[in-house]
Amino acid sequence: MSDITPTINRRRLLRGAIVIGAAVATALVVAGVAQAYSWPRTLRQGMSGGDVSELQIRVAGWASDGPAQVRVAVDGSFGPATAAAVRRFQGAYGLAADGVVGPNTQGKLNALESSDGSTAHFDWSEFTDRISGNFNGGKLGPDAVRENVRRCMYKLEALRVKLGNRPITVNSGFRSIQHNQDVGGASDSMHLYGTAADLGVGGVANRTVYQKAETCGFSGLETFNTDHQHVDSRADLGRAWWWQDGTI
């Protein structure tokens, strides 16, 4: 994905999205106008391809009905776990929960994207390094960090719905190595890869945020006895699951 300036005001752009290959994001632009993701076909279990990978990114936050250390792998293969996540997504948004990703489901998925590649309720600027204001200086290149942040956004969209559509504040997203050192972060913090976020939700106890996050495919959860709730997707980087104080 091209390194678009993260502070761009998405409300000044037309709706659009990001076209995903197997693991590489590329902005689709026609005559300078961002285009919504164009689903090339109806998707169902047994299919494979880049469009399945994009689907998996967008429904990853619907990994389970209850606390479970399971995740939707972004592997381009539409298997049972992806189908189950699709059904949960469809049910949450008032669609027929048949696991088939046709025009109605695709339209709802596209309604969650913004023209700059972020999502409906989250901006790039919420996740950039608090010192530099960009995605540079971490343990991955800025394009890879940006894609990890995008994937995190879609999980947070699901978490937001599960919390009754309450706004989620991102207190800390990506951190450069220098900023992470300044705040005393772990040397291999998931914030350095763009796959973590520290959250606050007004009027909702962190314990509740934690419990709902247990259904969203997050493989890293810090105990809820803090002034924020940490979530991350460390399993996507090959790390072991870490739920510090889970309910299962």
Side-chain angles (χ1 to χ4, degrees):
M1 181 184 296
S2 59
D3 192 15
I4 306 170
T5 303
T7 55
I8 192 168
N9 187 336
R10 67 188 185 203
R11 295 175 180 83
R12 294 179 182 175
L13 300 175
L14 299 178
R15 287 206 55 77
I18 300 297
V19 177
I20 299 297
V24 179
T26 304
L28 175 62
V29 179
V30 177
V33 178
Q35 302 272 307
Y37 183 82
S38 181
W39 301 92
R41 55 184 174 165
T42 292
L43 297 174
R44 51 176 50 87
Q45 190 168 335
M47 291 182 168
S48 61
D51 50 355
V52 174
S53 294
E54 178 64 10
L55 169 67
Q56 290 168 326
I57 290 168
R58 298 190 184 206
V59 300
W62 300 93
S64 64
D65 291 312
Q69 292 189 352
V70 297
R71 54 188 275 270
V72 178
V74 182
D75 59 6
S77 179
F78 197 142
T82 300
V86 168
R87 288 193 294 270
R88 295 183 191 100
F89 174 88
Q90 291 170 325
Y93 284 96
L95 302 170
D98 57 8
V100 177
V101 185
N104 290 339
T105 300
Q106 290 166 0
K108 188 61 68 174
L109 290 167
N110 279 5
L112 289 177
E113 59 179 278
S114 288
S115 55
D116 63 355
S118 62
T119 63
H121 299 102
F122 298 95
D123 286 302
W124 296 117
S125 59
E126 296 177 80
F127 291 84
T128 51
D129 180 62
R130 292 296 187 252
I131 294 178
S132 65
N134 56 42
F135 292 128
N136 298 318
K139 290 206 170 184
L140 296 173
D143 290 350
V145 167
R146 187 182 180 87
E147 176 61 10
N148 285 341
V149 166
R150 189 179 80 94
R151 296 182 184 201
C152 182
M153 286 178 173
Y154 276 106
K155 287 185 178 181
L156 293 179
E157 288 286 354
L159 178 60
R160 191 180 191 278
V161 172
K162 295 174 187 183
L163 291 171
N165 287 308
R166 287 182 176 265
I168 295 175
T169 299
V170 178
N171 300 314
S172 180
F174 167 70
R175 297 176 192 158
S176 65
I177 293 173
Q178 183 59 58
H179 181 44
N180 188 61
Q181 291 174 346
D182 292 345
V183 299
S187 61
D188 197 39
S189 169
M190 294 297 104
H191 289 279
L192 297 167
Y193 301 87
T195 190
D198 293 343
L199 313 174
V201 185
V204 179
N206 286 335
R207 181 187 183 97
T208 300
V209 178
Y210 186 111
Q211 291 171 335
K212 293 298 183 182
E214 288 179 310
T215 71
C216 294
F218 287 112
S219 44
L221 294 173
E222 185 181 7
T223 182
F224 43 77
N225 296 317
T226 62
D227 60 357
H228 65 272
Q229 179 57 58
H230 171 95
V231 300
D232 69 57
S233 298
R234 62 188 59 207
D236 291 354
L237 301 179
R239 309 298 202 276
W241 283 68
W242 176 73
W243 285 7
Q244 190 173 14
D245 194 7
T247 59
I248 62 172

